[in-house]
Structures are given as C-alpha cells and as structure tokens.
Amino acid sequence: MGNVSAIKTDRVLCIYFKLVGGNTFTKKELAQQFQVTERSIQRDLGTLRCFLEEQNTGQEIIYDKETHRYFIQNTLSHALSNSEILAVCKILLESRSMRKDELLPILDKLISCCVPEQNKKMVRDLIANEKYHYIEPHHQKQILNSLWDIGKAVRESRYIEIDYYRMKDKEIVHRKVKPVAVMFSEYYFYLTAFIDDEEVKKDFDVINDSFPTIYRIDRIESFKILDERFHIPYNSRFEEGEFRKRIQFMYGGKLQKVKFTYSGSDIDAILDRLPTAEVLDEDNGVYTVSAEVFGDGIEMWMRSQGDLVSRID
C-alpha cells in the first residue's frame, strides 16, 4: 500500500512540475504517459487543486474547453497581467539595448512564465514583427554577465579595475574606480563610478569628487573586481534616481542651472525630458523654463531642438 501511495505522490509532483514549466496536456496524454486511467489523472489534478488553494500559492489549474488541455495560471495581484507583459516586451524591443541572443530569450521567458496559456499566441503575434526586424546595437557585445558582475561590485562596495576604450582618442585607458551605480539611457548601459587617482583626475574638466565619471559598459574591454572595499558615508551616497533627473545623454560634468525659452507645441515633452524643469512663464505660446542638470549633454539636447529652444544666459 505504501508503495502505491509513493508512486501516486511522484506522479502528482511530476504533473505539478510540468504545469509550472509552462507545459499543457490532456488527461489522455497523462494517462498514457503514466499508464493509469484518466479517472486517476482527474483525481491527481483534484489533489493538486486542493493543495494549491490551501497553500494560497496564487496558482490555479485551468481547463481549456476548446483544446481540452490543462495549464497553470497565476492569480495573485503581484503577477503581471497580459497588458503589463506586452508593455514590458515592447519597451525591451524599443530599447535596442542587447544582442538578439540576449534579448529574445528574455522575451520568450517573460511570455512563457507570466502569460496565461490561452493568451500566449496573441502576445507573441503582437510582438512578432518587431522581433523579426529587431536591430542589434552596433557594438555587438554581450553585456548581461558584465551587468550582473558589476552590479554585485556596486552592492558590495568593491573597487573595480577596468580597461576602457576611450572614444575621443581611440585609446584604451586603465582605471581603478569606486562603482556606485549601473544605469541605462538611450540604448546603452552605463557604469557610474568615482576615480581615486589624483594624476588621472588632473585631465578631467570636472574634478570635484561629488561628480561621478560615466563609462559605457560595452566599451569596457575587461574588468577585475577587487577584494578591496571602499566606504561612502550614508549621507554622501550616490543616488542614481536624483542623478538621472539631471543628466542628458549620459554626458558627465558639473551641476548647473540652465534657463531657456521653448516655442514648440508640446511643453509636456520638455518636462518629461528634463524632470527637474520648471515653467517660469508663458507668453503667447512661448515658455520660459529653468532646469537643474548635470554635465554638457544639455547643450547637445538644446542644439537638437533647433529654433524651438533658445538658451537664456
């Protein structure tokens, strides 16, 4: 009797792992696989349903009447909805931040794990064209492993030594830095870090220790995470959220106030681009705007707006 019970337990566990793995099946298919009756499979599914309900896992076994197949669905509010998954997939595709062999498996896993079986085809169809025409970044570098390793160094406050390809003179430079954040902006992932070497800092336009240096991660040719740790007092910690509000195109530099007029039709686009922006005045459709920003990227943005934006000195 005990052996029969153990076999049933193994079968129920196997069915559960099939379900959470994204598989679907009919009772007949399972009955043939385990060489039992369909009634036994029905009892197994009932056992699983009771267990999931009692444990409040947020998982529910669903029967699709059209296909006669069973699948599992997350019902908790913290699970992503169909529309949320679609939005995330669209954002990832638009970011063009990774090679195909890194990005496309992420999309497939999101759909497989988070979308109910009956809606998976619809979500796949809605992103199929963008997947097919996806354009990889020109750097052609794999970055996911580097992102994780650098992120761990940030979390553990460990120094990193990097060999970095510098665009302005096409040279590879060696740096020892304090990594403080991994950020994403305009197609690329970046490491923001502070440099300790005073000799190196002499060549920088801004040498104030409160301003980080910014490195594109795909241009880091190699890096080594050191055992040596650094300490930044809590009240002096780098806050990437505040930094992001004030930087354009990830160009480093000093903190500054800019003031300009905008004569375009959509002031919301300006306020979204510059989160610290404040409208000081509006006169016949011409807005006077002030914003606090880091670095020289603001100059690039202003030039990109043509006659719509004019800086006030």
Side-chain angles (χ1 to χ4, degrees):
M1 186 71 178
N3 187 47
V4 173
S5 178
I7 291 173
K8 178 179 178 179
T9 300
D10 289 345
R11 188 171 68 239
V12 170
L13 284 172
C14 186
I15 293 172
Y16 176 68
F17 285 124
K18 281 178 175 289
L19 288 166
V20 296
N23 296 296
T24 67
F25 44 73
T26 65
K27 281 191 293 185
K28 183 177 181 180
E29 288 171 346
L30 286 183
Q32 291 174 343
Q33 178 182 345
F34 294 110
Q35 296 184 338
V36 295
T37 65
E38 291 186 28
R39 182 170 294 181
S40 293
I41 296 299
Q42 184 67 51
R43 286 195 293 267
D44 293 341
L45 291 170
T47 299
L48 269 176
R49 282 195 174 104
C50 290
F51 174 79
L52 295 177
E53 184 176 347
E54 289 172 0
Q55 297 300 314
N56 193 28
T57 64
Q59 296 172 314
E60 183 179 356
I61 298 173
I62 305 295
Y63 175 66
D64 189 328
K65 293 181 179 179
E66 292 185 6
T67 63
H68 307 294
R69 304 185 76 81
Y70 292 86
F71 61 91
I72 202 164
Q73 178 175 298
N74 288 320
T75 58
L76 288 181
S77 60
H78 63 246
L80 294 176
S81 67
N82 296 325
S83 56
E84 288 168 339
I85 285 293
L86 179 60
V88 170
C89 290
K90 290 284 186 178
I91 291 168
L92 284 171
L93 285 162
E94 177 62 23
S95 75
R96 290 183 50 214
S97 57
M98 289 171 267
R99 290 177 8 172
K100 280 186 177 181
D101 58 358
E102 291 189 315
L103 179 67
L104 299 191
I106 294 175
L107 300 178
D108 293 339
K109 289 172 186 176
L110 281 170
I111 295 171
S112 177
C113 296
C114 302
V115 178
E117 189 64 33
Q118 68 269 28
N119 294 328
K120 287 179 180 177
K121 185 178 185 304
M122 181 181 295
V123 175
R124 290 188 179 113
D125 289 347
L126 287 169
I127 66 172
N129 189 261
E130 286 175 274
K131 284 179 67 177
Y132 180 77
H133 292 287
Y134 180 72
I135 300 174
E136 300 176 311
H138 283 288
H139 60 69
Q140 287 290 300
K141 299 282 185 68
Q142 288 186 320
I143 59 170
L144 288 182
N145 289 336
S146 296
L147 281 180
W148 180 251
D149 291 339
I150 292 172
K152 285 170 62 180
V154 170
R155 181 69 179 84
E156 297 170 2
S157 298
R158 294 184 183 274
Y159 279 95
I160 299 181
E161 289 184 348
I162 65 174
D163 291 316
Y164 186 73
Y165 180 72
R166 190 166 58 189
M167 282 298 293
K168 66 179 181 180
D169 55 10
K170 310 296 191 252
E171 294 287 337
I172 294 179
V173 296
H174 185 78
R175 298 282 185 263
K176 178 182 176 183
V177 299
K178 300 174 182 175
V180 292
V182 173
M183 304 179 70
F184 176 80
S185 178
E186 312 279 353
Y187 310 110
Y188 306 115
F189 289 93
Y190 294 86
L191 163 66
T192 54
F194 294 100
I195 298 176
D196 273 346
D197 194 323
E198 295 298 327
E199 287 300 313
V200 170
K201 288 162 67 173
K202 287 179 181 178
D203 296 329
F204 283 70
D205 295 331
V206 179
I207 60 174
N208 189 320
D209 284 343
S210 64
F211 304 133
T213 307
I214 301 169
Y215 302 94
R216 251 178 59 179
I217 288 180
D218 59 279
R219 290 181 180 160
I220 297 177
E221 298 292 324
S222 63
F223 66 90
K224 180 181 179 182
I225 299 173
L226 307 181
D227 291 333
E228 183 183 359
R229 296 174 183 263
F230 59 88
H231 174 68
I232 297 177
Y234 183 80
N235 60 359
S236 301
R237 73 192 187 283
F238 178 77
E239 297 186 79
E240 53 262 50
E242 291 299 317
F243 185 69
R244 178 177 293 283
K245 291 179 186 177
R246 295 167 171 81
I247 193 162
Q248 299 298 308
F249 302 112
M250 297 305 284
Y251 273 66
K254 64 182 180 180
L255 187 65
Q256 59 177 312
K257 277 273 194 179
V258 294
K259 190 175 179 182
F260 58 90
T261 59
Y262 170 70
S263 55
S265 60
D266 188 2
I267 187 61
D268 286 347
I270 304 300
L271 299 178
D272 288 335
R273 164 58 79 171
L274 305 172
T276 63
E278 178 184 1
V279 176
L280 303 178
D281 186 39
E282 188 269 328
D283 183 19
N284 291 324
V286 177
Y287 298 86
T288 301
V289 181
S290 173
E292 186 177 61
V293 297
F294 272 111
D296 300 325
I298 188 65
E299 300 295 339
M300 177 186 292
W301 175 78
M302 286 184 171
R303 289 195 296 271
S304 73
Q305 300 303 299
D307 295 337
L308 296 180
V309 170
S310 178
R311 184 160 185 169
I312 301 172
D313 294 324

